[in-house]
Amino acid sequence: MPSPAKGQPFEMQADDIRVIGWVDDPETYPIQPKAHTLEFLREVAHLRPRTNAIGAATRVRHTLAKAIHRFFDEDGFFWVNTPIITASDAEGAGALFRVSTLDFANLPRAADGTVDFAQDFFGREAFLTVSGQLAVEAYCLALTKVYTFGPTFRAENSNTSRHLAEFWMIEPEIAFADLADDATLAERLLKHAFTTLLSGRQDDLAFFDERIEKGLVAKLEGIVASEFVRMDYGEAIRILQRAKGTKFEFPVAWGIDLQSEHERWLTEQHAKRPVIVMNYPKEIKAFYMRLNDDGRTVAAMDVLAPGIGEIVGGSQREERLDVLDARMAERGIDREHYSWYRDLRRYGTVPHAGFGLGFERTLAYVTGLSNVRDAIPFPRTPGNARY
RNA sequence: UCCCCGGUAGCUCAGUGGUAGAGCAAGCGGCUGUUAACCGCUGGGUCGAUGGUUCGAAUCCGUCCCGGGGAGCCA
């Protein structure tokens, strides 16, 4: 019934109340009618969805995922489910989790004493995927516009607010596209997702704006309304070198990889909004990124967001077999290990580009949550897989 | 993995060498058109673990475990 009191639209009038499930011991029930820290709630991951903050994060996560799928669907993309178990890694994108059915207490040995993985389930070493990129490129070169959206695993001993051992990643791949097209796609995707949240999750965003990050809604509205700042890596270096009154711990010079402090300065001090940095030195980027005509940079781009740093990493891929082979040789990468990837260039190659978007990082950005461990239901981090 | 800061009641924290505390939460009672209600009473602790220093350790030292922030790596 309508409430006569201020600040609430209605009230319930009960004729009868029956308790379905009592709290067994109120003294020890961890979720209390009081404020809890997010750190504490992580320790009761199975009960924290009952809180308003995690509940709101869960709803925003759902709507964000739907918005991403809808964006791609309406743009003519096909969702490709690349494998979770793989034999290849995207050039050291991260340490790997091994998948094996061998008996650890009694490992089969080859003649030279090494473990004989020929006797393992897949007849070879197998791992959890660190990226669906190489596999999705195969479908891109057939279906033109494709994307993956699934779990990704990295066994790195990273203990930060931005890393998970198990996280979800969105990886579109588009044919007949260059780096600028790639950056445009990333910007369109993010803006579409934010717009959808602003209209479809108003209530939850208002909650995060009030409790987690003041000005959150205005921040998102501002991003949707403005252009991302685009700059070449070389320009970013010059801007950082001219940064007045700022001492960087790591000196800035052409050729360095941008450090967190540099990325943070570019987005938070210089542009005050997302920045797309493009065309990095080839030495600091992966072998599959397309070599530019200057011979010293590759067509790579990162989207940097204030507060969380890199949320997108992408590139135009090297579609020329001879250049790709030369790059692999430079890195000492075994050509045979990537034979099927080379086939994509041998049998009818076209320019193509793609990127990876970290789902939990994006979620952290749109909710204001400062730790990606609160952006996924059951976070997996080093030493933590209890729930 | 490295650096820094923490670990004391269910939660958030105070106590920094001499008998373990507060607020909130919980239980009981009272009051009340309340909305982070209010008032009273009550229960609740291997002070992260383990060695050591000391007449005496929550407090000082060593080691380990766990959490947080930052860094590296990246998404």
Side-chain angles (χ1 to χ4, degrees):
Chain A
M1 60 182 294
S3 174
K6 292 176 188 172
Q8 61 187 22
F10 60 87
E11 306 178 6
M12 285 201 282
Q13 206 166 51
D15 299 317
D16 183 31
I17 297 177
R18 281 175 212 165
V19 176
I20 308 282
W22 286 105
V23 170
D24 176 54
D25 179 5
E27 182 87 8
T28 58
Y29 179 47
I31 309 299
Q32 303 165 6
K34 67 187 284 291
H36 290 292
T37 62
L38 291 167
E39 291 80 10
F40 167 71
L41 291 175
R42 277 173 220 146
E43 296 173 14
V44 286
H46 59 313
L47 297 172
R48 71 174 185 166
R50 304 177 183 203
T51 64
N52 51 13
I54 298 301
T58 303
R59 288 187 293 270
V60 173
R61 184 181 170 102
H62 164 81
T63 302
L64 180 62
K66 275 193 69 176
I68 289 167
H69 279 302
R70 172 170 292 198
F71 170 85
F72 284 128
D73 183 51
E74 291 178 348
D75 215 45
F77 280 72
F78 297 105
W79 181 22
V80 176
N81 302 122
T82 52
I84 305 294
I85 299 172
T86 67
S88 58
D89 75 282
E91 203 240 359
L96 302 156
F97 286 105
R98 181 179 297 284
V99 176
S100 174
T101 55
L102 293 178
D103 179 4
F104 283 14
N106 187 22
L107 289 171
R109 298 287 177 178
D112 61 0
T114 58
V115 175
D116 183 12
F117 285 104
Q119 295 187 44
D120 204 346
F121 187 89
F122 296 107
R124 61 187 303 162
E125 287 187 275
F127 307 92
L128 294 179
T129 181
V130 292
S131 167
Q133 181 202 317
L134 302 188
V136 87
E137 278 189 51
Y139 274 74
C140 172
L141 295 179
L143 301 176
T144 306
K145 293 163 80 173
V146 296
Y147 71 105
T148 72
F149 190 160
T152 306
F153 308 87
R154 298 199 181 162
E156 280 160 351
N157 194 2
S158 295
N159 296 286
T160 81
S161 56
R162 305 178 302 284
H163 290 86
L164 295 164
E166 176 182 303
F167 64 102
W168 287 59
M169 189 154 65
I170 296 96
E171 296 175 284
E173 195 74 27
I174 44 178
F176 308 104
D178 61 17
L179 188 65
D181 298 325
D182 203 30
T184 299
L185 178 65
E187 182 168 350
R188 283 179 54 226
L189 170 62
L190 289 170
K191 285 182 174 175
H192 176 272
F194 295 173
T195 302
T196 303
L197 291 175
L198 284 167
S199 60
R201 282 267 88 85
Q202 264 184 322
D203 46 354
D204 288 322
L205 290 186
F207 170 83
F208 286 117
D209 195 308
E210 183 191 334
R211 300 287 183 87
I212 305 293
E213 180 185 335
K214 299 270 182 256
L216 175 72
V217 170
K219 176 183 86 174
L220 295 177
E221 288 172 342
I223 284 166
V224 167
S226 65
E227 297 294 305
F228 288 13
V229 175
R230 296 191 193 193
M231 64 178 72
D232 269 358
Y233 167 87
E235 187 185 347
I237 293 295
R238 286 194 295 276
I239 290 170
L240 288 166
Q241 286 173 332
R242 286 201 304 262
K244 287 175 188 163
T246 306
K247 282 271 184 180
F248 293 116
E249 185 186 344
F250 295 89
V252 178
W254 200 95
I256 64 156
D257 206 353
L258 296 181
Q259 305 293 314
S260 289
E261 57 173 343
H262 303 141
E263 296 180 350
R264 195 167 283 172
W265 193 88
L266 285 172
T267 56
E268 294 169 16
Q269 303 297 318
H270 179 70
K272 300 190 193 313
R273 54 186 150 137
V275 173
I276 307 180
V277 181
M278 308 168 79
N279 298 310
Y280 284 81
K282 66 174 182 176
E283 286 78 14
I284 59 174
K285 289 294 182 182
F287 77 91
Y288 52 73
M289 297 184 177
R290 192 178 195 279
L291 188 65
N292 286 324
D293 291 343
D294 62 13
R296 64 174 196 161
T297 62
V298 291
M301 63 106 184
D302 287 344
V303 178
L304 311 176
I308 45 170
E310 185 181 342
I311 56 173
V312 166
S315 66
Q316 184 175 346
R317 319 305 189 189
E318 184 55 75
E319 85 280 12
R320 300 162 298 186
L321 184 62
D322 56 334
V323 182
L324 182 69
D325 283 346
R327 290 274 288 150
M328 291 174 80
E330 276 176 26
R331 296 294 179 90
I333 295 169
D334 180 12
R335 194 183 285 189
E336 283 312 300
H337 192 67
Y338 288 93
S339 61
W340 68 263
Y341 188 69
R342 290 178 72 252
D343 280 354
L344 302 179
R345 277 76 180 161
R346 291 175 64 206
Y347 303 124
T349 190
V350 300
H352 59 292
F355 61 81
L357 169 68
F359 189 50
E360 284 76 19
R361 285 187 183 177
T362 306
L363 205 46
Y365 185 65
V366 299
T367 57
L369 292 167
S370 56
N371 196 318
V372 291
R373 295 171 195 192
D374 301 320
I376 191 167
F378 295 95
R380 270 83 180 94
T381 52
N384 192 343
R386 180 179 165 199
Y387 295 98

